[in-house]
């Protein structure tokens, strides 16, 4: 089926994204996978190319282009070349930190952070998960207590934090009431926490895939957070996170769909090039059937995710539809990369083949940003309601 998502401007933007990807990412990516770290200069180069913070209004240095289709283009370009770690690092900043600052940040916070995020001078992360609290954020124990001067003293520990080592600041979810155990809906607040005394990073976590991005533990030991770094109102952190969830989940659905398409195309080509028993692998009936299933799934996934993107642009993407998009697209790409790997035979198991990297990258997509089980729970509750 012909895809109708994009218009002429998106096609032009694709050229920019492709050029950036080929010039700035491709030459070094394999080395960054080995180092578990991408260099900061790629953020600066992305800023110069106009690829970051597209939704930021012009008064804060952005392009004022909230049209999510540009983000889809960017993801597709990263997925096509198997540079998903870069896509996900950008997502953390553009789909999680940014929307919270735009929606709830004071003018002072916006002035201090947005222009530098757009230019790529500053890199941020989202620090919600903790060793004892991932799916259930009411279990967050990191605590912020007001000082007599009205500032905050932050103590606690986070884990799985993308851009945690390379970044300059984190959007931290912390408990601000006196509750213990599972907090209530208004027990938590959000803070922009800059690297300063008492803010340390722990070990670099050794991920299965998307290794070129850093993922780390963070520790806060009596970190003094200025009063002005509270994002929005005290006690509203979980409410804000819930309100912005559709964008975070849409982002993962878009990445999943992009990887599914890319790995299908690569596998189709591989089965044409590879021969066995005197014929192309593509010509075995099994290969045709497997690829037929996969292509159908890729197109159906694109259709749902594309309509979620348009709904997001129109301001009508609700949390349940975003959960469906994430559940469907991430589960599909997990299964699609598995079947594509099988069609590669032994080469599919060798890391230098893109399908092996895509398989490992896809395995993350049903887990972070809310697991598939949590997505089913969200959807199931809406059915029961
Ligand atoms: C590579 C990577 C990068 C990440 N990046 C970030 C980041 O940048 N910032 C950040 O804050 N977090 C990040 N995360 C954390 C991620 O969002 C969590 O891992 C995820 O939400 C799951 O939480 P958990 O690991 O604590 O699993 P748990 O919550 O302990 O879940 C364990 C299992 O129980 C299931 N389960 C839990 N609750 C229910 C339920 N109610 N019903 C049914 N089943 C349930 C889960 O689905 C899962 O299968 C990242 C994780 C990874 C692996």
């Amino acid at each position: 089926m012909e895809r109708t998502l994009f218009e002429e401007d998106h096609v032009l933007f694709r050229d920019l994204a492709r050029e950036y990807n080929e010039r700035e990412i491709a030459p070094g990516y394999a080395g960054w996978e080995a180092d578990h770290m991408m260099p900061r200069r790629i953020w600066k180069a992305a800023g110069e190319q106009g690829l970051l913070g597209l939704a930021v209004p012009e008064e804060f240095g952005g392009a004022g282009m909230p049209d999510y289709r540009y983000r889809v283009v960017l993801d597709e370009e990263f997925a096509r070349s198997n540079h998903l770690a870069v896509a996900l690092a950008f997502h953390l900043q553009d789909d999680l930190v940014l929307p919270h600052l735009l929606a709830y940040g004071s003018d002072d916070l916006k002035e201090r952070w947005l222009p530098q995020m757009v230019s790529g001078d500053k890199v941020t992360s989202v620090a919600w998960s903790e060793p004892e609290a991932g799916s259930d954020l009411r279990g967050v124990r990191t605590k912020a207590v007001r000082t007599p001067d009205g500032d905050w003293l932050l103590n606690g520990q986070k884990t799985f934090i993308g851009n945690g080592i390379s970044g300059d600041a984190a959007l931290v979810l912390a408990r601000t009431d006196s509750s213990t155990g599972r907090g209530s809906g208004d027990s938590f607040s959000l803070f922009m926490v800059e690297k300063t005394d008492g803010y340390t990073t722990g070990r670099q976590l050794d991920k299965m895939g998307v290794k070129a991005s850093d993922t780390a533990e963070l520790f806060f030991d009596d970190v003094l957070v200025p009063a002005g770094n509270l994002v929005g109102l005290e006690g509203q952190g979980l409410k804000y996170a819930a309100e912005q969830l559709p964008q975070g989940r849409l982002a993962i659905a878009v990445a999943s769909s992009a990887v599914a398409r890319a790995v299908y195309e690569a596998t189709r080509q591989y089965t044409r090039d590879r021969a066995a028993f005197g014929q192309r692998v593509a010509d075995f009936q099994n290969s045709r059937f497997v690829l037929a299933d996969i292509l159908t799934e890729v197109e159906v996934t694109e259709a749902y995710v594309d309509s979620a993107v348009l709904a997001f642009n129109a301001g009508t993407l609700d949390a349940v539809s975003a959960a469906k998009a994430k559940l469907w697209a991430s589960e599909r790409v997990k299964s699609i990369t598995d079947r594509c790997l099988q069609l590669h035979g032994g080469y599919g198991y060798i890391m230098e083949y893109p399908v092996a990297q895509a398989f490992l990258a896809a395995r993350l997509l049903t887990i972070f940003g809310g697991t598939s089980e949590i997505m089913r729970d969200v959807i199931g509750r809406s059915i029961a309601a």
Side-chain angles (χ1 to χ4, degrees):
M1 237 171 32
E2 195 193 342
R3 230 170 140 207
T4 55
L5 185 67
F6 301 118
E7 294 170 21
E8 201 181 328
D9 283 350
H10 305 110
V11 176
L12 296 174
F13 183 79
R14 189 179 292 281
D15 291 339
L16 282 182
R18 189 165 294 183
E19 196 189 303
Y20 165 81
N21 194 22
E22 283 167 5
R23 190 184 62 236
E24 303 291 341
I25 308 298
Y29 193 81
W32 308 339
E33 289 261 303
D35 297 344
H36 292 228
M37 183 72 72
M38 56 185 92
R40 280 287 294 261
R41 66 176 155 75
I42 70 160
W43 290 85
K44 187 81 182 141
E48 281 162 12
Q49 194 92 349
L51 305 179
L52 296 175
L54 294 171
V56 172
E58 287 176 16
E59 59 177 310
F60 297 114
M65 282 197 314
D67 179 352
Y68 205 82
R69 291 176 291 179
Y70 293 104
R71 309 291 314 292
V72 178
V73 169
L74 199 52
D75 266 17
E76 287 179 353
E77 288 306 306
F78 288 137
R80 210 174 46 80
S81 47
N82 239 339
H83 298 152
L84 198 65
V86 180
L88 298 182
F90 286 4
H91 274 306
L92 291 171
Q93 176 150 302
D94 272 12
D95 291 305
L96 289 163
V97 180
L98 199 60
H100 286 88
L101 288 180
L102 283 174
Y104 319 110
S106 63
D107 281 349
D108 175 55
L109 271 180
K110 287 180 184 161
E111 275 159 21
R112 277 197 285 136
W113 284 97
L114 298 183
Q116 305 209 65
M117 287 161 70
V118 170
S119 64
D121 286 305
K122 293 281 186 195
V123 174
T124 56
S125 51
V126 175
W128 294 353
S129 302
E130 299 189 355
E132 305 297 328
S135 301
D136 182 11
L137 290 176
R138 288 193 186 191
V140 158
R141 293 183 188 171
T142 294
K143 199 162 172 54
V145 176
R146 261 196 204 280
T147 68
D149 297 335
D151 297 324
W152 299 86
L153 213 51
L154 185 72
N155 281 284
Q157 177 183 352
K158 298 288 178 181
T159 193
F160 297 132
I161 308 308
N163 305 335
I165 293 177
S166 59
D168 302 290
L171 181 67
V172 174
L173 183 72
R175 192 176 291 237
T176 41
D177 70 2
S178 56
S179 61
T180 53
R182 243 182 133 246
S184 68
D186 52 11
S187 296
F188 305 91
S189 306
L190 288 174
F191 299 90
M192 273 305 273
V193 183
E194 296 162 55
K195 282 193 174 150
T196 180
D197 290 347
Y199 179 151
T200 52
T201 53
R203 66 202 167 94
Q204 161 79 279
L205 301 176
D206 186 10
K207 303 194 295 290
M208 286 166 62
V210 289
K211 288 181 182 238
S213 63
D214 59 295
T215 306
E217 296 171 322
L218 305 182
F219 297 95
F220 308 116
D221 184 12
D222 279 343
V223 176
L224 189 63
V225 181
N229 287 23
L230 174 69
V231 178
L233 300 173
E234 182 181 344
Q236 298 298 297
L238 277 187
K239 179 171 161 275
Y240 295 158
E243 284 171 358
Q244 301 306 319
L245 276 178
Q247 180 166 348
R249 290 179 176 160
L250 176 67
I252 298 172
V254 165
S256 302
S257 178
V259 173
R261 166 65 72 177
V263 82
Y264 159 75
E265 298 290 356
T267 305
R268 176 171 180 253
Q269 190 56 48
Y270 181 85
T271 57
R272 289 168 165 219
D273 295 342
R274 178 82 178 162
F277 293 94
Q279 66 180 78
R280 303 187 314 173
V281 169
D283 293 331
F284 293 120
Q285 188 191 49
N286 176 68
S287 308
R288 282 204 304 273
F289 280 10
V290 172
L291 286 172
D293 281 346
I294 291 174
L295 179 59
T296 307
E297 290 169 39
V298 165
E299 291 191 5
V300 171
T301 303
E302 282 173 351
Y304 192 89
V305 173
D306 286 356
S307 42
V309 166
L310 294 177
F312 177 79
N313 279 355
T316 57
L317 182 68
D318 59 273
V320 174
S321 303
K324 288 176 187 166
K326 182 187 186 282
L327 172 66
W328 176 261
S330 63
E331 288 291 342
R332 279 311 86 213
V333 73
K334 184 172 85 173
S335 160
I336 287 170
T337 50
D338 187 24
R339 284 173 281 160
C340 285
L341 191 152
Q342 187 72 19
L343 283 176
H344 279 70
Y347 293 100
Y349 202 68
I350 304 301
M351 285 307 287
E352 72 195 57
Y353 279 77
V355 72
Q357 295 166 33
F359 174 79
L360 292 174
R363 198 61 195 82
L364 172 63
L365 300 170
T366 60
I367 295 172
F368 83 153
T371 63
S372 288
E373 292 71 32
I374 296 299
M375 296 306 104
R376 291 189 184 99
D377 197 47
V378 169
I379 300 160
R381 281 170 198 268
S382 78
I383 297 167

